[in-house]
Amino acid sequence: MKKCVIVIADDNKDFNNQLKDFLCQEDGCSVRQVFNGEEALSETERLRPSLLILDMVMPSLDGMEVLNELKGKDKPKIIALSSSGEDKLISDILRAGADYVMVKPIEFGALKRRIVDLLERDRREVAVTSYGRTRANRNLDEKISNVFISVGIPAHIKGYQFLRDAIKMAIDEPDIINSITKRLYPEVAEHFDTTASKVERAIRHAIEVAWNKGKIENINTLFGLKVYTSNEKPTNGEFIALVADKLLLESA
């Protein structure tokens, strides 16, 4: 990980200390520990960290209250830690402003990969694209997350992150959808240090999960017309293009 400031907010002192020791192994990574929601809020506003690791059950203020207090502010990337993997709870946490939810017990290696992903994505968003437009717009992540929540794509599956990057690429460069196997899959794969075929399969799985949950009406409502039935699913490219087009129209 490149130089970063991380706040760990968790009232379990043993876990908090273990996580701090793990993260402090990274060069240039500064870690601040807090043990309740009020401290989490005050230290986040004072330090303006790169990342907040936020347990959802804490004294003073719980994690959801902290997320609500940070809404509308220049907040850091947030990884929420939940003791429950129930779909509605995860959806509520993402809607409240978390960028990712991990269900306890967590594996520190997986957490590190998620941190690297979020911080690298944040750096890309504030960079200037090849078209000379700044991407300093965190609302885009939230809009894409809201689309995924509406159609029933859960945050914990690999296809969720792959799809999010693919949609951003299609927003930046709409014609890339015509080179989905030659460019889009390989570029997403390079970012996540995986293969293009695994990206393709994971995105396909994410779309299948949405259809299996039966949220077809949500999908049709989202796109403003009756696009699909329960017996038909869009291809990966169709789904990416539909979401990208929707978000482009909303920002026009």
Side-chain angles (χ1 to χ4, degrees), residues 73-130:
K73 300 178 181 179
D74 185 18
K75 64 182 181 65
K77 292 294 183 182
I78 300 174
I79 295 178
L81 307 181
S82 173
S83 58
S84 169
E86 195 270 322
D87 281 353
K88 184 180 184 306
L89 175 61
I90 291 177
S91 294
D92 289 343
I93 294 170
L94 290 169
R95 285 185 189 278
D99 295 280
Y100 197 79
V101 182
M102 298 188 74
V103 179
K104 287 185 169 181
I106 66 170
E107 195 270 309
F108 285 174
L111 175 61
K112 178 183 174 181
R113 290 191 293 273
R114 187 56 52 217
I115 291 171
V116 171
D117 170 38
L118 288 174
L119 296 185
E120 286 301 314
R121 183 195 311 158
D122 200 35
R123 292 185 181 100
R124 292 200 310 275
E125 286 173 356
V126 299
V128 177
T129 70
S130 58

Side-chain angles (χ1 to χ4, degrees), residues 37-53:
E38 286 186 357
E39 290 179 338
L41 185 60
S42 63
E43 288 300 277
T44 298
E45 293 177 337
R46 182 180 73 86
L47 294 174
R48 300 172 67 85
S50 312
L51 175 74
L52 170 63
I53 299 174

Side-chain angles (χ1 to χ4, degrees), residues 175-192:
D175 284 346
I176 200 171
I177 207 68
N178 298 319
S179 304
I180 190 167
T181 56
K182 292 184 177 179
R183 287 193 54 207
L184 191 145
Y185 292 152
E187 289 182 25
V188 173
E190 182 179 2
H191 171 222
F192 288 96

Side-chain angles (χ1 to χ4, degrees), residues 79-241:
I79 295 178
L81 307 181
S82 173
S83 58
S84 169
E86 195 270 322
D87 281 353
K88 184 180 184 306
L89 175 61
I90 291 177
S91 294
D92 289 343
I93 294 170
L94 290 169
R95 285 185 189 278
D99 295 280
Y100 197 79
V101 182
M102 298 188 74
V103 179
K104 287 185 169 181
I106 66 170
E107 195 270 309
F108 285 174
L111 175 61
K112 178 183 174 181
R113 290 191 293 273
R114 187 56 52 217
I115 291 171
V116 171
D117 170 38
L118 288 174
L119 296 185
E120 286 301 314
R121 183 195 311 158
D122 200 35
R123 292 185 181 100
R124 292 200 310 275
E125 286 173 356
V126 299
V128 177
T129 70
S130 58
Y131 293 94
R133 294 178 286 112
T134 55
R135 292 277 319 275
N137 182 7
R138 293 185 178 182
N139 287 335
L140 181 58
D141 267 350
E142 295 176 7
K143 288 177 180 178
I144 295 174
S145 293
N146 286 336
V147 169
F148 290 174
I149 290 166
S150 296
V151 303
I153 296 175
H156 64 273
I157 62 176
K158 288 183 179 179
Y160 183 100
Q161 298 297 332
F162 296 165
L163 259 176
R164 180 147 62 180
D165 262 33
I167 289 165
K168 286 182 177 182
M169 290 168 64
I171 289 172
D172 275 348
E173 189 180 350
D175 284 346
I176 200 171
I177 207 68
N178 298 319
S179 304
I180 190 167
T181 56
K182 292 184 177 179
R183 287 193 54 207
L184 191 145
Y185 292 152
E187 289 182 25
V188 173
E190 182 179 2
H191 171 222
F192 288 96
D193 193 24
T194 186
T195 65
S197 61
K198 287 182 179 179
V199 168
E200 180 179 10
R201 289 196 299 270
I203 290 176
R204 167 53 37 192
H205 173 67
I207 295 171
E208 288 174 350
V209 167
W211 254 251
N212 291 338
K213 287 188 175 184
K215 295 191 175 183
I216 309 303
E217 288 308 314
N218 288 6
I219 293 164
N220 288 327
T221 300
L222 183 72
F223 296 125
L225 68 163
K226 192 171 180 61
V227 183
Y228 298 105
T229 69
S230 58
N231 295 321
E232 57 183 349
K233 294 186 287 287
T235 65
N236 291 1
E238 287 172 345
F239 185 82
I240 292 166

Side-chain angles (χ1 to χ4, degrees), residues 7-10 15 19 34 36-37 40-41 44 51-58 61-68 70 77-82 93 97-98 100-102 104:
V7 171
I8 304 172
D10 195 303
F15 173 81
L19 182 53
V34 298
N36 64 60
L41 185 60
T44 298
L51 175 74
L52 170 63
I53 299 174
L54 179 67
D55 188 35
M56 297 310 294
V57 180
M58 286 187 297
L61 297 173
D62 65 25
M64 193 66 75
E65 289 173 309
V66 173
L67 289 172
N68 287 330
L70 290 172
K77 292 294 183 182
I78 300 174
I79 295 178
L81 307 181
S82 173
I93 294 170
Y100 197 79
V101 182
M102 298 188 74
K104 287 185 169 181

